[in-house]
Amino acid sequence: MTPLTATAVGKRYGRRWAVRDCTFSLPEGKVVALVGPNGAGKSTLLRMAAGLVRPTTGELRAFDTPVRGRIHPDVSFLAQDRPLHGHLTVREMIRLVAALNDRWSTDRVEEMLALQAGVDRDATIRTLSAGTRTQVAIALALGRLPRLLLLDEPLSDLDPLARDETLRIIMAEVADRGTTVVMSSHLLADLREVCDHMLLIDDGQVQIDGDIDDVLARHRILVGPAADETAVQGALVSATRTPRQTTMLVRDPQPTPHGWTGTEPDLESLVMGYLRAARDRSARRD
Amino acid sequence: MIWAAFRLQRLQLLTLLGLLVAGSVTVVLLRSTMVDFFTSTRLIECVAPNAGPCPASPEDLDAFAANWGDLFLVGRVVIVLLPALVGVFIGAPLFAQELEQGTHVLAFTQSVSRTRWMLSKLVVALVPALVVLVVLQYLVWWWLDAAGVLGPHANGSFHVLNFGVEHVSPVGYALFAFALGTFAGAVSRRTLVAMTAGLGVFVAARFALFGLANRWVPRERRDAPVGADADLSQGGGLWVGSGWLDTAGQQVSPDRAAALTRTCKGGTETQEAYTACLQQSGVARRYVITIPESSAWLAHVYDFAVFGGLAVLLLAGTAWALRRQS
C-alpha cells in the first residue's frame, strides 16, 4: 500500500495557488525530504495530507483511502507551530492526547521521551525549551503508532544538539516500526543524513520526486569557461556566471565537454540550484 | 475525551464551583437573617398576601425597606448578569482560545472527529454553568419569596427585573449568551474579540427582544361601568392597554376618546360631572387589557423559545465555522 499519493492536487487561497497540480506517490518505509523555498506550498501540502485543509482540486490518498476532512488513522502530523496546551504538564498533555485517540500507546511516548536527557513529566509545557517542546510533540505524534509520519519543519528552532536528538528519535521510529516519514526542512545537511527520498516543491509544483541517490547521480555541476556554454548538453537547471567562468547545474548531462569539469552535486548544491532557478523565474515574472 | 474537555475547562469549572458555594452560602445567610428579623418584629404576619392588619411597628417596616431594598436589587441583578458572564467567560474563550493558540490542530489530527470534539467541549462547558445558574436562581427566588408582599415579588412576574430572573428565562438567556460567545469565537478566532463582540450583541439583543414574548400570550380584558368605584388593576398582571366601551360594547376609538376627554374636562369641576358628561356622550364602561399574572409562565416559555432558538442557530453556525476551519 502506498502511504501517500497525490493526484493533481491544488489549493487556492483567494487568487493565489499555494499548491498546483501536484502529483506524486511516496514509497513505503522511506524517509522523504520535502524541500522547497519559503512559501512553496510545503506546509499546505502536509496540512492537506493530514486532513486539515481540503484541496481545491485533485485528491490525496493515505494508504489508498481518500483524505477528506479528517486524518487517516495510520497517519500522524506534527504542525509547524507545535500546538500544545502551555498550561498543562507534560504528563497531563500525554493523557490529554491519549484521550483523543482510539489507538494509543503511552509506552511508546515514554520510550521516545526516554531517548533524550531528562524531560520532567511534571514541568508545564510553557516552561520547556523550544527543542524539548518539539520532542514532546513528536513523541505525542508517535503515540498514535502511525505508519506515516508527517513532520512540518521538525528541526527549525533547534540547536545542533536538540536537532541531533530529534533526528535520533525519528530514526529510532523508522528502525523500530518501519514508519514512512515525510519531513519538510531547510536544513539540507541534516536531511542528507536521514532521508533517502526527496520531493522538491517549487511554486506549488513538484520539481523533483525520487530517490536522493538517483537524483544526485542524474545531475552534474559543470564548471567551465564563460565563453563556451554551447558545448554543454542536457537540461540546464540554473547557472551562475562570472566574467571568467560559468557554473551550471545540469540534469541528464551528456559526457562532460572538453575544457569543463563535472562533479556530482551534493544535496545542498542540488537544492540550491533548483531554488536559484525558482527565484530567477519569479524575478522574471515580476 | 470527556476527561480532556474537563481538564481544559478546569479553571472555569473551579471558578463556577467557587461561585456556587459562595453564592449559595450568601443567599442562605441573607434569607435566615431576614427571617429572624421578621420573627423578632412580627413582620412575619405581614408577609402573606391578603394578610390581616400588620401588627408590626411602622419603624420596623421602614427599617426593613431601608436595609433590604438594595439587597433585593443586587440579588436579582446578579441573576440577570450571570448569563452574560457565562457567555463572556465560558462561551467566548471555549473555541477562540484553541483557534488563537493553534491547539485545535492538535485535536483535529487525532482520532476523535471534529463534531465529537466540539460536542464534548460544549457539554462540559455549558452544563455546569447552567446548573450553577439554576441553583443560584432558585435560591434567590426562595429568599425573595420569604419576603412575600414586602419583597420584590409584590411587583408581579412581569416587572422588568423580576421577569429576567424567573422561570426558564435565565436559562434561555444563558444558552443564547453562551452560543453567541462560541460562535463569535469560532468565527473571529480571537478570544478578546469574541468576548467583547459577544457581550455587546448579547446586551443589544436582550434589550431589543425584551417583551417580544408577551405578544404571543393571550390577553385578558377587564371592564367596569364608567364612574363605578372598581379597581381594574386588581389582580396584577401586565397592563397593555386601556380605553372606553360605548353602550353597544364597542371600543371607543382613541381619537374620539381624546376629543371626549377634552370636551368633558372643559367646563366641569367635579369627577361626578365628568363621569356624567362621558355617559351622555355614549361611553358606558372603561376597560383595561392585561396579560394576567397566571399566564406569566407562558411568556417565559415563549421567551425561552426565542432565545433558545437563537442559541441553536448560533451553535449550528459554530459547528459550521469549525468544520471549515483548517
Side-chain angles (χ1 to χ4, degrees):
Chain A
M1 268 203 287
T2 324
L4 187 65
T5 52
T7 316
V9 167
K11 175 67 193 176
R12 194 180 57 202
Y13 289 108
R15 293 177 60 189
R16 202 183 71 84
W17 287 87
V19 170
R20 248 188 321 185
D21 198 28
C22 264
T23 301
F24 59 84
S25 179
L26 296 183
E28 192 161 10
K30 294 287 169 79
V31 180
V32 180
L34 179 60
V35 289
N38 288 326
K42 303 189 296 288
S43 284
T44 307
L45 196 59
L46 287 175
R47 291 170 74 91
M48 284 194 286
L52 280 168
V53 176
R54 278 168 199 264
T56 314
T57 63
E59 184 184 64
L60 277 144
R61 299 172 81 90
F63 299 104
D64 296 340
T65 314
V67 180
R68 288 211 188 96
R70 62 185 300 178
I71 196 163
H72 186 281
D74 288 331
V75 178
S76 274
F77 173 64
L78 172 77
Q80 199 171 359
D81 54 358
R82 323 281 183 254
L84 297 172
H85 292 282
H87 62 285
L88 301 190
T89 66
V90 174
R91 199 187 306 281
E92 286 172 323
M93 196 64 230
I94 297 173
R95 199 176 157 197
L96 184 112
V97 179
L100 297 175
N101 279 289
D102 302 331
R103 186 182 60 194
W104 181 259
S105 167
T106 299
D107 289 347
R108 186 72 188 151
V109 178
E110 291 294 341
E111 206 178 316
M112 287 297 154
L113 287 179
L115 286 178
Q116 40 183 306
V119 175
D120 180 5
R121 304 294 187 279
D122 294 315
T124 44
I125 300 285
R126 74 161 71 86
T127 64
L128 302 177
S129 67
T132 314
R133 221 172 355 229
T134 299
Q135 286 157 352
V136 169
I138 293 178
L140 287 171
L142 297 181
R144 274 168 60 77
L145 303 175
R147 289 159 64 208
L148 170 63
L149 184 59
L150 306 171
L151 305 171
D152 197 355
E153 299 281 358
L155 305 177
S156 65
D157 307 331
L158 302 190
D159 61 45
L161 189 63
R163 216 143 66 201
D164 190 58
E165 280 180 346
T166 306
L167 285 172
R168 214 163 60 216
I169 294 178
I170 297 168
M171 292 327 288
E173 167 74 10
V174 173
D176 292 355
R177 304 192 58 248
T179 312
T180 307
V181 178
V182 181
M183 50 196 282
S184 68
S185 181
H186 290 299
L187 299 161
L188 301 166
D190 290 309
L191 289 181
R192 183 68 184 112
E193 282 174 41
V194 295
C195 296
D196 32 33
H197 193 97
M198 70 182 290
L199 197 61
L200 195 150
I201 307 276
D202 171 39
D203 208 10
Q205 286 179 303
V206 179
Q207 303 289 337
I208 306 180
D209 171 14
D211 186 273
I212 293 183
D213 291 334
D214 292 348
V215 170
L216 293 179
R218 281 181 56 199
H219 287 79
R220 280 284 179 284
I221 290 182
L222 299 174
V223 181
D228 193 21
E229 287 185 23
T230 49
V232 177
Q233 291 179 311
L236 174 70
V237 176
S238 65
T240 48
R241 297 178 177 89
T242 64
R244 303 184 72 180
Q245 75 174 27
T246 299
T247 307
M248 297 172 135
L249 177 66
V250 179
R251 187 170 62 228
D252 301 324
Q254 303 303 308
T256 309
H258 183 71
W260 290 72
T261 55
T263 49
E264 187 180 301
D266 55 13
L267 181 63
E268 190 150 5
S269 46
L270 177 91
V271 172
M272 288 268 283
Y274 274 91
L275 298 194
R276 187 173 293 126
R279 212 180 47 200
D280 292 350
R281 265 202 308 277
S282 67
R284 268 202 301 278
R285 217 169 29 214
D286 290 341
Chain B
M1 182 66 235
I2 293 293
W3 179 85
F6 265 107
R7 179 60 191 86
L8 292 178
Q9 281 298 108
R10 192 169 73 176
L11 180 66
Q12 285 90 334
L13 292 174
L14 288 176
T15 312
L16 278 175
L17 186 67
L19 189 69
L20 179 68
V21 172
S24 309
V25 169
T26 310
V27 174
V28 168
L29 283 177
L30 280 172
R31 186 181 186 278
S32 71
T33 314
M34 190 181 80
V35 170
D36 285 349
F37 179 76
F38 282 164
T39 332
S40 63
T41 54
R42 295 192 68 194
L43 271 170
I44 196 85
E45 293 164 49
C46 322
V47 171
N50 312 320
C54 187
S57 70
E59 289 77 30
D60 286 337
L61 257 174
D62 289 347
F64 175 75
N67 292 335
W68 289 86
D70 288 346
L71 287 171
F72 290 150
L73 183 68
V74 170
R76 288 175 296 162
V77 166
V78 166
I79 301 299
V80 165
L81 289 183
L82 270 180
L85 297 181
V86 168
V88 170
F89 291 105
I90 295 178
L94 190 63
F95 297 116
Q97 209 163 39
E98 298 244 12
L99 295 169
E100 200 165 46
Q101 294 169 358
T103 46
H104 66 291
V105 168
L106 185 77
F108 288 179
T109 50
Q110 313 300 328
S111 324
V112 63
S113 73
R114 290 190 187 193
T115 313
R116 220 181 104 207
W117 173 78
M118 185 189 88
L119 286 179
S120 19
K121 277 180 79 77
L122 283 176
V123 168
V124 168
L126 180 59
V127 172
L130 288 185
V131 168
V132 171
L133 172 66
V134 168
V135 169
L136 291 180
Q137 181 202 344
Y138 174 75
L139 285 174
V140 167
W141 178 86
W142 177 64
W143 162 42
L144 300 185
D145 205 50
V149 293
L150 299 180
H153 285 180
N155 298 328
S157 289
F158 287 102
H159 180 265
V160 179
L161 254 180
N162 288 352
F163 190 82
V165 302
E166 283 181 7
H167 211 270
V168 286
S169 284
V171 172
Y173 304 150
L175 279 174
F176 173 64
F178 176 83
L180 195 59
T182 59
F183 179 70
V187 170
S188 73
R189 318 178 57 178
R190 295 281 175 274
T191 311
L192 211 59
V193 174
M195 287 167 96
T196 39
L199 180 65
V201 175
F202 175 72
V203 171
R206 274 283 270 122
F207 276 108
L209 300 176
F210 180 79
L212 178 67
N214 295 340
R215 291 191 194 181
W216 304 307
V217 180
R219 279 101 201 269
E220 201 178 80
R221 197 175 76 181
R222 286 197 289 261
D223 51 35
V226 169
D229 194 18
D231 182 8
L232 289 177
S233 70
Q234 196 79 51
L238 181 68
W239 187 93
V240 284
S242 65
W244 286 323
L245 301 175
D246 59 23
T247 42
Q250 297 296 311
Q251 289 183 12
V252 176
S253 74
D255 288 344
R256 186 153 171 259
L260 284 176
T261 311
R262 240 179 296 127
T263 326
C264 293
K265 275 262 163 73
T268 54
E269 307 281 294
T270 61
Q271 184 67 31
E272 288 72 26
Y274 174 64
T275 307
C277 166
L278 284 178
Q279 282 165 337
Q280 279 156 20
S281 314
V283 174
R285 303 174 77 82
R286 63 195 169 89
Y287 70 89
V288 295
I289 295 174
T290 61
I291 297 175
E293 192 73 22
S294 58
S295 293
W297 68 273
L298 196 57
H300 283 295
V301 169
Y302 285 137
D303 198 41
F304 177 82
V306 168
F307 283 94
L310 288 173
V312 168
L313 288 179
L314 287 166
L315 288 177
T318 305
W320 167 81
L322 287 175
R323 284 191 70 81
R324 61 189 286 279
Q325 177 65 49
S326 58

